[in-house]
Amino acid sequence: MSVRPITHNADGSIDVVYDEGGHNGTIPAAEIVWGTKLDGSHDHNFIMLNCPDGCGASSLWPVGGGADAVNGQQMFVNKTTSEGCTCGQVEATDADAIGESHVRLNVNRMDGPGRWQLG
Amino acid sequence: MSFVRINPGDLIQAVNVNQIIDALTGAVGKGVAMAMTALNDQTNYALTVQNQDATNSRALLVLNSAGTMMERIDATGISFGTPLNLANNSVQGAALVDAGVPNAKLGPDVARANLLTNGGFEIWQRGNGPFTTSSVFTADRWQIGLDGTDTLNVQRDAVNIDVSSGNAAVVAYVHGSGTGGTGLYQPLQPNTDLWGLRGRPLTFSVRVRASTANVARAFVNNNGTLAYSSYHTGDGTYQTLSVTVTAAALPTTFNVGVSFNNTNATVYIDNANLVVGSQPANYVPLHPADDLARCLRYYEILGESGSSIILAQANSIGGSPMRHTVYYKARKAVAPTVTKNGTWTVSNCGQPGVGSAGVDSVWMAGVVTAPGDAYMNSGNSGVNISVEANP
């Protein structure tokens, strides 16, 4: 299992559970961070979640959704529509549909058509 | 009345003639059963019937009292009425037409390929439970779904098992406001994983034990259309519950499992099977290696044994990154979520972080903090890497 989102809050934070440790809590929007490429730049294909309990557990979520397609993809959509994409293709001021389309494209690239689980 | 032999010169009695006529017309109580043809001859048959008409060759027709054909022998072959009762082990397999036994004629003890992962509930990589949260996985690939205020408590059970099983799932169901949507199920994804399910007739069967009637039944969610078996009768024994559907041509959802409704109960679930065709098949266990291999497609733990992973690098300076590729045991169905669990033992470097995760490997990285032998070592139980892909 993983540090996994269960509720997406209006302020951009997410409630998570970490089943192995029996931990749960809320991760603020600012601490929902993109993954990191080899050169140190951010990677729009991944988001890192650290267990809010501080136990040391951290989960790298792929844009395809990994262990939980619905909540995983929703996390990328929320982050992209609220702050733009780290790749620069989507700005925070863009319409939400643009951000969602960008994430959907990345989902299809990663896991193929049919993986998109959001409406 | 019986016939009286007529000798040459005797007058034929009218009663005898009537008897013959009655016999030929099938009058009730008339006629005489044909006696067994007795013959003591090595070459001739005791009874031979031949119709020399070359077109139809209608040799024999046997009818019952209702006039229904019981046996017919003519130019079309030999036909029998029903039921046809043959002695056990009396038909050689070679007598069957090649490819002439369709799926619908198969019995449940004819083994067929099980399309489920961990159908026997033998593998519990995430632990023995209890698991209670909606959408969480319990035994490998078996997921909880909750409806309304219903609750489930799912655990591994090695005692209350089906015949020839190692483990079962014991489910404590508490009925709330749910209306049958609560269940323990396996999601199959014909759109991203199990493409071969599309449009096929499929039969799901599962062994279920309950002591309360009308609580547990097998179900299939076929692209949103639910099909159910009958409920378990609550007799306290394992019963086979089965459902047959034809999968949608392009289903986005195809789940199979056991759903719960109506009242509180403890239910045991074991040995589930999903086969192509209209007939259920008994569960046949896989070799443990094959059983686990299926599970690893969706979930695995790297470093199950204490301190078994080490990522190391000798460095002459600090401040530089160290990166290592970690290969999974099995390729994943989709790009997985990779979790570094716990706090690792490190020397001359920081904690490992998870880099890009692919379907077959991931790279881990740490920052070297001082010259020398830098390493990151997984620790005791629970300090490891888990990889989870749920298509």
Side-chain angles (χ1 to χ4, degrees):
Chain A
M1 289 181 271
S2 53
V3 181
R4 57 189 180 89
I6 55 170
T7 304
H8 304 270
N9 301 312
D11 64 358
S13 66
I14 53 175
D15 298 337
V16 300
V17 295
Y18 174 52
D19 299 283
E20 286 92 333
H23 305 155
N24 58 69
T26 300
I27 300 178
E31 296 177 20
I32 302 170
V33 296
W34 297 110
T36 305
K37 297 179 181 177
L38 275 175
D39 62 4
S41 64
H42 286 153
D43 187 344
H44 67 174
N45 283 317
F46 296 97
I47 284 177
M48 181 68 75
L49 298 181
N50 295 315
C51 180
D53 183 80
C55 66
S58 57
S59 290
L60 184 76
W61 283 80
V63 68
D68 183 342
V70 172
N71 282 305
Q73 293 169 12
Q74 188 66 59
M75 180 167 60
F76 279 84
V77 168
N78 291 351
K79 184 171 178 64
T80 302
T81 55
S82 66
E83 64 184 58
C85 187
T86 187
C87 70
Q89 294 294 315
V90 179
E91 300 291 338
T93 53
D94 286 340
D96 286 354
I98 294 177
E100 182 170 318
S101 296
H102 183 64
V103 173
R104 183 167 185 168
L105 174 65
N106 290 338
V107 169
N108 288 341
R109 284 171 169 167
M110 177 173 281
D111 287 335
R115 177 61 163 160
W116 181 252
Q117 296 286 303
L118 304 180
Chain B
M1 180 179 183
S2 61
F3 289 104
V4 175
R5 181 178 295 280
I6 305 297
N7 296 311
D10 289 349
L11 293 174
I12 298 175
Q13 298 292 320
V15 291
N16 285 352
V17 174
N18 286 336
Q19 178 74 10
I20 293 169
I21 293 170
D22 286 342
L24 292 173
T25 59
V28 176
K30 303 296 182 182
V32 176
M34 182 180 291
M36 180 179 73
T37 301
L39 188 68
N40 187 357
D41 186 323
Q42 290 188 346
T43 56
N44 293 302
Y45 288 89
L47 177 63
T48 301
V49 178
Q50 182 180 20
N51 184 334
Q52 292 185 324
D53 164 50
T55 303
N56 297 307
S57 296
R58 288 173 173 166
L60 181 66
L61 178 62
V62 180
L63 307 177
N64 66 11
S65 62
T68 303
M69 185 271 289
M70 298 176 67
E71 182 182 4
R72 183 181 66 222
I73 301 174
D74 58 24
T76 64
I78 303 175
S79 303
F80 296 98
T82 56
L84 176 60
N85 300 312
L86 299 175
N88 291 346
N89 304 312
S90 63
V91 178
Q92 297 284 352
L96 302 177
V97 174
D98 288 348
V101 180
N103 181 278
K105 301 299 184 186
L106 299 179
D109 59 347
V110 179
R112 279 160 275 162
N114 189 352
L115 295 166
L116 298 178
T117 300
N118 194 28
F121 292 86
E122 302 298 344
I123 298 172
W124 298 69
Q125 290 193 91
R126 295 170 180 80
N128 297 333
F131 302 95
T132 59
T133 308
S134 189
S135 79
V136 77
F137 283 88
T138 60
D140 278 48
R141 295 306 292 158
W142 291 97
Q143 193 172 18
I144 290 176
L146 297 179
D147 182 12
T149 59
D150 290 0
T151 66
L152 282 187
N153 180 308
V154 181
Q155 299 184 61
R156 184 176 76 90
D157 190 323
V159 176
N160 299 289
I161 53 178
D162 191 19
V163 176
S164 301
S165 179
N167 295 304
V170 53
V171 180
Y173 169 63
V174 176
H175 182 61
S177 62
T179 56
T182 293
L184 182 65
Y185 66 94
Q186 182 161 138
L188 306 162
Q189 295 294 350
N191 54 345
T192 55
D193 195 22
L194 287 163
W195 297 276
L197 299 183
R198 294 173 173 176
R200 291 185 185 274
L202 297 163
T203 299
F204 170 65
S205 61
V206 60
R207 298 283 286 166
V208 176
R209 173 182 154 187
S211 295
T212 306
N214 301 321
V215 171
R217 56 181 172 172
F219 81 94
V220 174
N221 181 341
N222 183 13
N223 210 30
T225 301
L226 291 163
Y228 296 98
S229 72
S230 57
Y231 278 108
H232 190 284
T233 60
D235 66 355
T237 68
Y238 269 105
Q239 300 178 357
T240 301
L241 308 178
S242 68
V243 187
T244 298
V245 301
T246 297
L250 291 171
T252 56
T253 303
F254 194 88
N255 302 333
V256 299
V258 177
S259 72
F260 309 95
N261 201 0
N262 297 326
T263 189
N264 303 349
T266 298
V267 178
Y268 303 93
I269 304 172
D270 207 349
N271 292 346
N273 216 4
L274 178 70
V275 296
V276 173
S278 61
Q279 298 299 313
N282 294 344
Y283 175 80
V284 176
L286 294 174
H287 185 282
D290 299 324
D291 212 9
L292 178 61
R294 289 193 184 190
C295 296
L296 294 178
R297 176 173 170 80
Y298 307 98
Y299 183 85
E300 69 177 82
I301 299 171
L302 295 162
E304 293 178 74
S305 303
S307 303
S308 60
I309 297 177
I310 189 163
L311 308 173
Q313 181 173 302
N315 294 275
S316 58
I317 58 171
S320 60
M322 55 185 287
R323 305 183 185 92
H324 294 275
T325 301
V326 177
Y327 293 98
Y328 312 148
K329 300 170 187 170
R331 189 184 193 280
K332 296 294 169 285
V334 292
T337 298
V338 178
T339 301
K340 182 213 73 166
N341 293 302
T343 301
W344 291 37
T345 300
V346 297
S347 177
N348 293 330
C349 64
Q351 284 289 306
V354 184
S356 298
V359 293
D360 61 351
S361 61
V362 61
W363 57 266
M364 309 285 290
V367 176
V368 175
T369 55
D373 177 21
Y375 65 81
M376 303 175 288
N377 184 211
S378 61
N380 294 322
S381 176
V383 182
N384 49 40
I385 301 168
S386 60
V387 185
E388 183 166 13
N390 295 317

